[in-house]
Amino acid sequence: MLKDITIGQFYPTGSFIHELDPRTKILITFAYIVGLFIVSSFISYGIVALFVLGCIFVSKIPVKYMLKGLKPLRVIIIITFIINIFMTSGTIIYSLGPLNVTVEGLYQGTFMAFRLVFLVVGTSLLTLTTSPIALTDGIENLLNPLKPIGIPAHELAMMMTIALRFIPTLLEETDKIMKAQMARGADFESGNIINRAKSLVPLLVPLFISAFRRADELAMAMEARCYRGGDNRTRMKQLVIQKNDIISMAVMGMFIAILIYVRIR
Amino acid sequence: MSIKIENLTHIYNPSSPFETTALDNISFEVTEGEFIGLIGHTGSGKSTLIQHLNGLLKPTKGKILINQVDITSKDVKLQDIRKNVGLVFQYPEHQLFEETVYKDIAFGPANLGLNEEEIKARVVEAMDLVRLPFQELRDRSPFELSGGQRRRVAIAGVLAMKPNILILDEPTAGLDPKGRDEILEQIKSLHQQVQNTVILVSHSMEDIAKLVDRIIVMHKGKVSLIGKPTQVFKEVEVLESIGLGIPQITYLMKMLKENNIKLREDILTIEEAKAEIINWIRGNKNA
Amino acid sequence: MSYEGALYIEFKRGIYMEKMIKVDKVTYDYSNSEKEVIALNNISLEVKQGEFVVIIGHNGSGKSTLAKHLNALLLPTEGDVFVKGLNTKDESKIWDIRQFAGMVFQNPDNQIVATIVEEDVAFGPENLGLQPNEIRNRIESSLKVVDMEEFRHKAPHLLSGGQKQRIAIAGVIAMRPSCIIFDEPTAMLDPSGRKEVINTIKKLNKEEQITIIHITHFMEEAVNADRVIVMEDGDIVLEGTPREVFSQVERLKKLALDVPQVTELAHQLIKEGIDLPHDILTVDEMVMKLCQLK
């Protein structure tokens, strides 16, 4: 169920892309998203497809694995496609009662579906090649200059780290409490929506209590290890922009330039 | 109630890279009214096994018969299994959720569809079994109680379902010696009163030696030893090779024998050891 | 003995005798919803550098409250606590105190902060503001001490309880403390995890010369200590070497505490008029003494 979602799951291969500075990858991903919105023709999509395939190839992540990540999203992609087919006015090629399929709609639907696919594949490439902790460091680092205007960069990053750390623990705990209540005859599966919502109380209350207890203990443990916020704190991993990062950004720049050129040509 | 396990295998995440065999073709029987000690280190398959006994996990292969009824067959209602087989998980106090002790203990019986009167009778009885004063605690929040009391509320919540088979997964983990002795005492006296079948999972060989009729030792998803405590604790080498030990007193008797002091080796408790050593010393003097 | 020799011994004793921790007439009370609770009742205690002290007592005896006073997580209502001469009430010294006196808690899951072992060990040194190179050195040496080097890049939630606890210990020793307080670190572990942790603690004391205050209710963990302190209702009720403490079988039983099975057996045999010493702690000692009776 939750395990099927491959987006966001780090897939270490030690490739050129994996070794890049997380900040480079975050910035490139942003540029890529902007780039997708410059695209206005299928020729440009061809370029994007070549670029993305190239990136996947360099990252050494199996294409099959990437496509598996799209599976949970296929419903959304199909819905986008269908809505666009029917909701765009233009030359009618087929009528289904009050609904009309138009040439423009077909074009628009395919176009939007492609955009969605490229968006998901491109962004999941970021999380697949970057460990959560590196990603957090990158975000913290990029947000740091915004501190004077009140963006709590360090705190946000720390929150993300702790959340990532405790997700597996809490999933395990959910499973355990669920089983313990089932052993007492609780039923989580049948009944109508109201009954089902009610049946979640014996699961959620212990889960919340345990989460608060954990938070309390963790806070104390962090204090005992001299944690006092982001000031004066150093990091073991220093982020350094290297030659490869500059090359990657240059490649990205060229990619965007080509997209712009194709668009205004 | 009797339990019969036939060729039980359980595989987690089958046909995936994370495939692990937690139970590997296990067979054994437990007769009605027996007190069983289940030992084995973490990851030996104990937890997986006990979750099969009340239908929380489905076997990959094999059968589980409770009173000759195959609980893996589709016609069996899960509720009937859970009425008969009570399972107390590790750190059961983490499952408490109601506002009052009464309501929490009543949760199980209420799920069985009993009437108000019967539920109350069962809550009273269950609290009595774990020595919690009913009048004083019934309206208290379980979260205000001490750790040992919370644990007993949670155990009462399972006892109130009046299971014929009671399974406890390390019921004394994290408790101090006093809390531990209280809970073990209550389990023992309940067993003596109603002659229920009990399966106790524990890491303490001393506790196991004191309480159980038979021991099942698990290792790597298999039953590696099964038998009376005196038989199982004779197999020191086997137990040590899988990271388990024997009660200190049994170890002492073994060491004495190696030093040519001829005493019975099948001794599990301090009382037995005391009698045996005194006999030996007096025998020496008379000789 | 030569003058230099005598001087050297004097010097060594001077270091050994240095007070690591001094608890001076500390009382701690707090009020919960119903009543006032006196968790610590006018307690005084000194721990010398290099000592291995075990505190036992059942739940609610005040032992954890005492532990939290030793690195300024709690402050006394009355009295003072000194760590290496620094008063825990002195707010300007609080971070020095927490660096000198590290702490390992009961639940291994709730004290690991990061998603990768080495990142977690780095957490303390990072808080101290150390340079990246130094942090790396410390991670390496700390993981070596707890024998977890090969897990450096693993995710903590995939480790066993004993391994997690060793990571927590590595995280503390990476801050180079002079003293570590263990607050029931073995309570939630299985026997093999317990053994791992206890062996690590012993090693820290013997090889790294770290002062240890170990809180537990497993009596067998107290057998190797320099000193055992028994607490009950916020008071210290018994104190001495393991032999002195465990020989008081009746007293410990009254406090609902365990003694090793052989100690209890010896006690029972003595009551039957058999000539055995009161302070038998191990199977080997018992075997030896009984052989002498042959």
Side-chain angles (χ1 to χ4, degrees), chain C residues 8-21:
Chain C
Y8 177 67
I9 285 176
E10 197 61 19
F11 170 71
K12 262 196 88 172
R13 189 179 295 152
I15 289 183
Y16 186 74
M17 298 298 280
E18 193 195 321
K19 270 173 225 142
M20 179 59 67
I21 281 169

Side-chain angles (χ1 to χ4, degrees), chain A residues 6-264:
Chain A
T6 49
I7 314 169
Q9 261 184 32
F10 181 46
Y11 192 102
T13 64
S15 75
F16 176 85
I17 297 187
H18 283 75
E19 299 298 314
L20 288 177
D21 189 295
R23 288 171 299 179
T24 311
K25 285 186 270 187
I26 294 170
L27 291 176
I28 286 181
T29 307
F30 268 106
Y32 169 81
I33 293 170
V34 173
L36 274 185
F37 287 90
I38 300 173
V39 170
S40 61
S41 67
F42 283 104
I43 300 167
S44 308
Y45 271 146
I47 298 165
V48 173
L50 277 177
F51 177 74
V52 170
L53 280 173
C55 287
I56 295 173
F57 179 72
V58 175
S59 75
K60 294 183 190 157
I61 292 171
V63 178
K64 228 171 125 188
Y65 190 83
M66 295 275 333
L67 295 179
K68 223 177 86 193
L70 283 173
K71 246 188 185 172
L73 291 162
R74 64 187 163 206
V75 181
I76 301 173
I77 294 170
I78 291 167
I79 290 175
T80 314
F81 181 62
I82 293 173
I83 288 179
N84 274 293
I85 287 178
F86 291 117
M87 292 303 161
T88 319
S89 52
T91 327
I92 296 165
I93 48 172
Y94 185 75
S95 277
L96 203 82
L99 297 169
N100 296 320
V101 179
T102 63
V103 179
E104 285 80 0
L106 221 46
Y107 181 84
Q108 187 71 9
T110 320
F111 197 81
M112 293 311 273
F114 265 114
R115 180 175 282 175
L116 217 52
V117 169
F118 282 124
L119 198 65
V120 173
V121 172
T123 45
S124 60
L125 207 49
L126 171 68
T127 50
L128 283 164
T129 60
T130 319
S131 77
I133 213 141
L135 202 57
T136 318
D137 284 351
I139 294 172
E140 177 177 5
N141 220 288
L142 287 171
L143 288 178
N144 255 341
L146 302 178
K147 251 189 193 163
I149 60 160
I151 305 273
H154 167 73
E155 285 76 6
L156 282 174
M158 188 49 88
M159 273 167 11
M160 272 177 66
T161 308
I162 291 172
L164 285 168
R165 156 73 188 82
F166 278 91
I167 284 170
T169 311
L170 288 177
L171 281 179
E172 211 174 282
E173 182 139 28
T174 310
D175 184 60
K176 206 195 108 188
I177 295 172
M178 212 158 160
K179 279 183 175 158
Q181 305 298 25
M182 275 157 74
R184 290 210 280 167
D187 183 359
F188 294 107
E189 275 139 17
S190 52
N192 58 30
I193 286 190
I194 296 169
N195 277 338
R196 274 205 212 188
K198 261 193 196 160
S199 74
L200 284 180
V201 173
L203 174 64
L204 292 180
V205 172
L207 208 52
F208 271 107
I209 289 171
S210 129
F212 280 115
R213 193 189 59 236
R214 285 181 192 283
D216 203 40
E217 286 180 20
L218 184 70
M220 191 171 280
M222 285 169 74
E223 245 186 87
R225 285 164 82 181
C226 290
Y227 180 68
R228 53 200 124 158
D231 303 336
N232 297 323
R233 198 173 132 81
T234 48
R235 299 308 309 271
M236 170 183 69
K237 284 196 178 128
Q238 298 301 78
L239 298 177
V240 196
I241 296 288
Q242 281 165 332
K243 203 176 75 192
N244 285 351
D245 294 294
I246 295 167
I247 294 172
S248 310
M249 283 196 243
V251 170
M252 192 65 205
M254 277 179 339
F255 171 66
I256 296 284
I258 294 170
L259 287 183
I260 293 174
Y261 172 75
V262 173
R263 165 125 200 186
I264 58 175

Side-chain angles (χ1 to χ4, degrees), chain B residues 86-282:
Chain B
L87 177 52
V88 178
F89 274 84
Q90 239 179 68
Y91 299 98
E93 62 274 23
H94 291 171
Q95 79 203 25
L96 300 175
F97 70 98
E98 279 285 10
E99 299 143 81
T100 68
V101 169
Y102 182 96
K103 280 192 194 168
D104 212 295
I105 299 175
F107 179 69
N111 283 331
L112 295 179
L114 302 171
N115 64 37
E116 213 42 59
E117 221 172 301
E118 174 68 17
I119 291 176
K120 187 179 173 193
R122 287 194 172 199
V123 174
V124 171
E125 194 185 342
M127 284 181 74
D128 187 49
L129 282 171
V130 297
R131 317 264 195 284
L132 289 171
F134 178 75
Q135 287 306 335
E136 199 183 307
L137 295 184
R138 59 175 294 176
D139 293 324
R140 290 273 294 278
S141 159
F143 304 107
E144 291 172 2
L145 306 179
S146 75
Q149 283 176 320
R150 276 208 300 271
R151 170 115 7 136
R152 283 187 277 159
V153 171
I155 294 177
V158 174
L159 294 181
M161 297 173 77
K162 287 203 174 175
N164 293 308
I165 298 172
L166 180 62
I167 305 171
L168 304 114
D169 190 357
E170 285 190 65
T172 60
L175 294 181
D176 59 13
K178 193 170 160 223
R180 178 199 64 202
D181 290 345
E182 282 169 0
I183 286 191
L184 292 178
E185 183 50 46
Q186 287 151 12
I187 295 167
K188 190 176 151 194
S189 81
L190 173 69
H191 174 69
Q192 282 165 348
Q193 272 174 46
V194 302
Q195 286 301 310
N196 57 349
T197 309
V198 181
I199 298 181
L200 174 71
V201 178
S202 175
H203 284 308
S204 163
M205 301 304 147
E206 282 78 14
D207 294 345
I208 292 273
K210 255 187 273 179
L211 292 165
V212 308
D213 301 325
R214 231 158 29 111
I215 297 177
I216 297 174
V217 183
M218 296 209 44
H219 182 58
K220 289 191 175 162
K222 289 196 156 127
V223 173
S224 84
L225 289 171
I226 185 163
K228 291 212 169 67
T230 47
Q231 296 167 332
V232 168
F233 286 136
K234 247 185 228 165
E235 309 288 335
V236 187
E237 285 78 22
V238 180
L239 289 169
E240 277 176 353
S241 73
I242 58 179
L244 299 170
I246 57 172
Q248 199 184 28
I249 223 72
T250 314
Y251 186 64
L252 172 72
M253 298 319 258
K254 186 178 140 66
M255 291 299 286
L256 286 173
K257 194 183 176 194
E258 279 171 18
N259 281 279
N260 291 319
I261 297 181
K262 291 201 176 50
L263 295 173
R264 268 169 54 210
E265 242 189 302
D266 57 346
I267 277 172
L268 304 175
T269 64
I270 293 173
E271 288 68 36
E272 289 173 332
K274 177 179 144 193
E276 188 71 14
I277 290 174
I278 287 173
N279 258 336
W280 169 72
I281 289 175
R282 299 213 168 123

